[in-house]
Amino acid sequence: MKAARPAREDLTVAERHQQKTTKTTAFPYGVGIFLCSLALPGLLVAAEGNRVEKTFEAAPTPRVTISNARGLILVRGWDKQQVHIVCSVMSPRVEVDSEVIPPSGPADKVHFSTHILDPLVSGKDQTADYSLDVPMGTDLEIRDTQGSVKIEKLQGDDATVETVGGVIVVSDFTGHLFVRSIGGNIDVIRAAGRVEAYSITGDLHFVSPATSKLRATTTSGRILFEGDFPDGGDYSLSEYSGDMDIICPPSASFELNAKTDRGKLENQMPITIRHQPATPLSSANSLFGTHLTGKATVSLKSFSGTIRIRQR
Amino acid sequence: MDDTRRHRTAECDRCELELEAYMEGEARPFVLAHVRECVFCKVVSEDLQALRTAAGELPLEEPSPAVWANVRAQLSAEGTFAEKEGVWSWIWQLDLLRRPVPVAAFACMLVLGCWMTAPRNYPQSEASASLAASGGQPVAVRSMAFVSGGTSLEQVVRELEEAFKAREGSLAPDVKATYENSLSSLDVSIRECNDSLQREPGNSLAHEYLFAAYSQKAEVLSSALDIDEGR
């Protein structure tokens, strides 16, 4: 495919709001109120200057990427064939750029990136908050170093979300979801398709997944899984030292392979124990068996954390 | 690297597209001309060339089918190589050519990983002797302790750590704290797994977690070196 020259567009209008100083000597309260009433519209204008709203016509299954340093990124699926963005920045020295490919006609790709224009801008002043509505079938890639990412009601193709310390919450997503936060927590609620979730110190929380495949790993965070294991599903959850809680309904049908080296394994489900593959672990630390007819495959692993399997 | 990245041009994009073919030996005069002018692309090109040379110098040893079967089973159990498509799509998501330092580190890890799992005529170590004596399962992923020759994943991680130390001063305090917490958590798991393996060399779960901890540490460090804070 011939590479199209991206259209570069500055989204933010960084306006500096200059405030006139007025000297007052008499009637301090009245003057104060008067000044406030003058200042208010100015503040609103300044706030408006740091907020931008845009809409792009999109091709079917467009690719949308966002690269941000701090701030909340909220992405929702909608039934229009458009990418709609509302963005606000904390400082006028922070700018959000967009690249649309191709530059005219429905966009195959839309890239948003936050740029810190002044190296002296630090901390919360680097914040850029994004709110996007994207068409169903959007291929999404989000990198938000220290910000949170929320994806809601999106039937996507592929979604990749990576943060360093930010929280990631994905609800009602269908497709292939790859989420990774080095130190932030990850919540995946009612996802369908294939899910991969990785963290080092963050907690992983899965609620009512309808995924065919789930891979989840954290080192010192904990894992909480609440829901059923759909027939034929393949679930692999692993953590090193955090605890793992599996809470599933009595109707869940799964084949279980659970093991922990130094931790404990507490099971409250009526599992039919099957032959154990040769393992150096004692039966107190491992469990192989089936619940009902064993339609889903569930692998739970921990090194020093406790694994609890409970009935809802 | 940041400076060069800021000045990335359309020529860099073209160079990136043609670089693979150039590395395969095709005549690509544009690449040759561009790397003379662009520091970033020159570094990428040199890194790839160095990797190619280093890989070419490694001895070619064909492991037995049993070893591959064990490796596959182990990684499959971990979920690491569950699906061919998943691994490749993940690799491509890394946007490789724009990140020469982490790519070089990962490539080294891969080469070393293959090297580590290949059968060799080691003098039988105490660990493998005790494994044989206990009749335990053969362990697919060899512990770092079994690697001889002075180079190991441990060493790659150490080098990444040094690079991280040089970079960490430029990170925002909260970002730096997140990385440090994660690295400290991984260090704990590495230490505990090593302790377990000292006591119980046949502990396959400890082997698995040790390998995973080193790999994750390399990933975290690479991520820290590659982080773009919007500047």
Side-chain angles (χ1 to χ4, degrees):
Chain A
M1 204 178 91
K2 199 176 173 182
R5 190 91 186 147
R8 202 166 181 90
E9 188 176 355
D10 187 2
L11 276 185
T12 59
V13 183
E15 290 184 342
R16 286 182 180 274
H17 177 64
Q18 292 182 341
Q19 224 175 339
K20 288 181 180 174
T21 54
T22 309
K23 215 171 185 179
T24 59
T25 50
F27 308 109
Y29 294 111
V31 171
I33 290 167
F34 175 68
L35 283 177
C36 283
S37 67
L38 284 180
L40 191 61
L43 289 172
L44 289 174
V45 169
E48 188 63 28
N50 291 340
R51 180 184 180 278
V52 171
E53 186 168 355
K54 285 271 176 183
T55 303
F56 305 92
E57 292 302 320
T61 64
R63 179 171 177 76
V64 174
T65 65
I66 305 170
S67 173
N68 192 28
R70 277 168 207 279
L72 172 69
I73 297 176
L74 169 63
V75 181
R76 284 168 301 210
W78 69 353
D79 53 10
K80 295 179 188 172
Q81 208 51 46
Q82 293 173 330
V83 174
H84 174 247
I85 177 175
V86 178
C87 182
S88 57
V89 292
M90 192 74 89
S91 160
R93 287 168 293 170
V94 174
E95 153 187 295
V96 174
D97 279 346
S98 70
E99 280 182 317
V100 182
I101 300 171
S104 58
D108 287 324
K109 297 178 184 176
V110 188
H111 304 301
F112 299 103
S113 53
T114 308
H115 297 289
I116 316 294
L117 302 175
D118 181 346
L120 294 176
V121 173
S122 61
K124 283 185 179 171
D125 286 343
Q126 295 178 338
T127 300
D129 292 322
Y130 290 74
S131 173
L132 278 96
D133 295 295
V134 298
M136 296 297 175
T138 295
D139 192 351
L140 203 58
E141 186 179 321
I142 299 173
R143 289 193 167 80
D144 195 0
T145 306
Q146 204 64 0
S148 301
V149 179
K150 208 169 175 186
I151 299 176
E152 290 175 355
K153 293 181 182 154
L154 177 62
Q155 196 175 333
D157 178 16
D158 250 304
T160 299
V161 183
E162 290 185 90
T163 74
V164 173
V167 170
I168 301 173
V169 180
V170 181
S171 55
D172 301 297
F173 175 86
T174 304
H176 175 208
L177 177 67
F178 178 99
V179 281
R180 179 161 60 177
S181 177
I182 288 171
N185 296 340
I186 297 173
D187 284 26
V188 179
I189 301 157
R190 293 180 301 273
R194 192 151 63 92
V195 173
E196 296 173 73
Y198 303 101
S199 184
I200 303 293
T201 56
D203 296 338
L204 309 180
H205 184 196
F206 303 97
V207 180
S208 304
T211 49
S212 57
K213 194 161 199 164
L214 171 64
R215 294 279 174 271
T217 301
T218 179
T219 300
S220 53
R222 68 184 285 249
I223 296 180
L224 172 58
F225 180 101
E226 297 175 279
D228 202 350
F229 299 107
D231 292 357
D234 181 4
Y235 291 76
S236 176
L237 309 176
S238 168
E239 43 86 14
Y240 179 80
S241 58
D243 290 346
M244 189 188 296
D245 286 276
I246 308 295
I247 304 167
C248 53
S251 58
S253 171
F254 58 92
E255 186 183 3
L256 178 71
N257 179 348
K259 51 189 172 183
T260 173
D261 189 71
R262 293 194 199 166
K264 283 189 288 183
L265 208 158
E266 298 169 4
N267 172 44
Q268 294 175 3
M269 299 284 281
I271 304 277
T272 307
I273 307 294
R274 294 175 59 195
H275 73 281
Q276 295 197 5
T279 169
L281 300 173
S282 72
S283 58
N285 291 21
S286 62
L287 182 60
F288 302 87
T290 52
H291 186 252
L292 298 182
T293 51
K295 285 181 176 162
T297 305
V298 179
S299 165
L300 311 175
K301 260 189 300 187
S302 174
F303 188 76
S304 55
T306 294
I307 299 175
R308 294 182 205 91
I309 305 157
R310 287 184 282 148
Q311 201 161 286
R312 189 161 59 194
Chain B
M1 199 172 82
D2 285 348
D3 284 339
T4 55
R5 197 189 286 178
R6 264 183 225 132
H7 297 103
R8 190 174 171 82
T9 61
E11 281 76 28
C12 297
D13 291 336
R14 185 178 161 192
C15 179
E16 183 180 316
L17 287 172
E18 293 193 14
L19 194 55
E20 189 183 344
Y22 171 71
M23 297 303 292
E24 294 294 328
E26 285 183 30
R28 298 284 172 155
F30 174 80
V31 175
L32 273 174
H34 181 67
V35 296
R36 267 187 231 121
E37 293 164 2
C38 174
V39 180
F40 177 83
C41 293
K42 188 181 173 201
V43 169
V44 173
S45 162
E46 284 174 353
D47 280 356
L48 288 172
Q49 196 58 54
L51 278 171
R52 196 184 167 88
T53 311
E57 284 168 2
L58 287 173
L60 287 174
E61 292 184 60
E62 189 58 41
S64 77
V67 170
W68 287 121
N70 282 334
V71 171
R72 195 168 188 82
Q74 194 88 18
L75 295 175
S76 177
E78 283 183 67
T80 315
F81 283 0
E83 267 190 315
K84 204 176 171 185
E85 179 205 330
V87 172
W88 285 113
S89 65
W90 181 78
I91 288 170
W92 287 118
Q93 279 161 15
L94 293 174
D95 202 0
L96 296 178
L97 286 178
R98 289 165 200 252
R99 306 171 180 192
V101 175
V103 168
F106 270 118
C108 288
M109 281 165 56
L110 278 176
V111 172
L112 286 166
C114 294
W115 182 63
M116 284 156 62
T117 49
R120 284 154 192 272
N121 296 324
Y122 288 123
Q124 195 175 30
S125 69
E126 207 181 306
S128 52
S130 77
L131 246 184
S134 65
Q137 283 183 297
V139 179
V141 181
R142 225 182 270 268
S143 159
M144 301 306 117
F146 302 155
V147 179
S148 64
T151 316
S152 67
L153 182 53
E154 240 179 320
Q155 198 175 322
V156 173
V157 167
R158 261 202 303 273
E159 281 164 17
L160 283 168
E161 262 178 321
E162 279 166 22
F164 171 70
K165 276 178 191 149
R167 166 89 209 264
E168 67 179 341
S170 66
L171 295 174
D174 52 350
V175 175
K176 186 180 158 192
T178 305
Y179 278 117
E180 284 176 345
N181 281 343
S182 301
L183 291 170
S184 136
S185 175
L186 289 167
D187 284 340
V188 168
S189 60
I190 288 170
R191 199 169 49 243
E192 288 179 354
C193 288
N194 271 324
D195 288 349
S196 273
L197 287 169
Q198 289 276 331
R199 288 193 303 272
E200 207 185 340
N203 187 335
S204 60
L205 212 53
H207 276 278
E208 243 178 64
Y209 277 103
L210 180 63
F211 185 77
Y214 270 111
S215 305
Q216 285 167 345
K217 191 169 176 184
E219 272 184 51
V220 170
L221 289 165
S222 300
S223 148
L225 295 175
D226 192 47
I227 194 168
D228 179 359
E229 293 186 283
R231 302 197 189 271

